[in-house]
């Protein structure tokens, strides 16, 4: 029995994930108008098990919130729960804690995040 190649190239899982995350991106970072302080309770469609409440004022809790929303949130969730300035400020560390697909999509779409990683001259 002969093995034949599919007529069209099959995308790999990383490509599929990158496309999924790219569709969720806000048009611009200024659209991220989430809270900069206080308690955030994520809806079940974003986090269906485990911790759902996060204290934005606590850096570790905020990092968990942002990791969860970046991985599981839709475009509306990103705008509702993420704050532009907090995202930029914690991006150098946060980008090491998320998947490469999420990181690559956000780095490519928003050069200001990449600039935040560079040390001041």
């Amino acid at each position: 029995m002969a093995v034949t190649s599919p007529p069209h190239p099959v995308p790999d899982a990383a490509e599929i994930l990158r496309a999924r995350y790219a569709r969720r991106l806000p048009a611009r970072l200024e659209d991220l108008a989430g809270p900069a302080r206080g308690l955030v309770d994520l809806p079940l469609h974003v986090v269906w098990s485990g911790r759902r409440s996060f204290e934005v004022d606590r850096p570790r809790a905020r990092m968990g919130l942002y990791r969860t929303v970046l991985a599981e949130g839709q475009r509306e969730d990103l705008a509702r729960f993420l704050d532009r300035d907090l995202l930029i400020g914690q991006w150098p560390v946060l980008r090491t804690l998320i998947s490469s697909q999420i990181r690559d999509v956000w780095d490519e779409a928003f050069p200001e995040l990449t600039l935040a990683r560079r040390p001041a001259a």
Side-chain angles (χ1 to χ4, degrees):
M1 181 154 111
V3 176
T4 60
S5 298
H8 304 287
V10 177
D12 67 15
E15 290 174 20
I16 293 169
L17 285 172
R18 274 191 212 92
R20 180 181 300 159
Y21 291 123
R23 285 191 301 271
R24 298 176 183 177
L25 289 173
R28 53 199 185 111
L29 286 182
E30 287 74 18
D31 295 340
L32 303 178
R37 303 190 65 84
L39 186 66
V40 171
D41 293 314
L42 292 177
L44 286 173
H45 73 270
V46 176
V47 60
W48 48 92
S49 68
R51 185 176 180 185
R52 292 185 53 220
S53 295
F54 299 86
E55 183 64 45
V56 178
D57 300 308
R58 297 180 57 217
R60 287 186 88 144
R62 183 174 59 240
M63 198 69 71
L65 167 70
Y66 278 53
R67 287 177 64 194
T68 301
V69 173
L70 287 169
E72 304 298 337
Q74 297 301 313
R75 183 185 313 241
E76 299 80 20
D77 301 314
L78 297 171
R80 180 177 172 197
F81 297 114
L82 303 182
D83 174 82
R84 175 197 176 275
D85 294 336
L86 291 177
L87 178 68
I88 291 172
Q90 68 186 20
W91 190 251
V93 173
L94 180 60
R95 70 184 309 279
T96 68
L97 302 174
I98 57 179
S99 75
S100 61
Q101 292 82 21
I102 297 171
R103 180 182 60 240
D104 293 347
V105 164
W106 280 80
D107 278 345
E108 290 170 17
F110 304 110
E112 56 263 56
L113 292 173
T114 304
L115 293 174
R117 289 195 334 233
R118 297 186 183 146

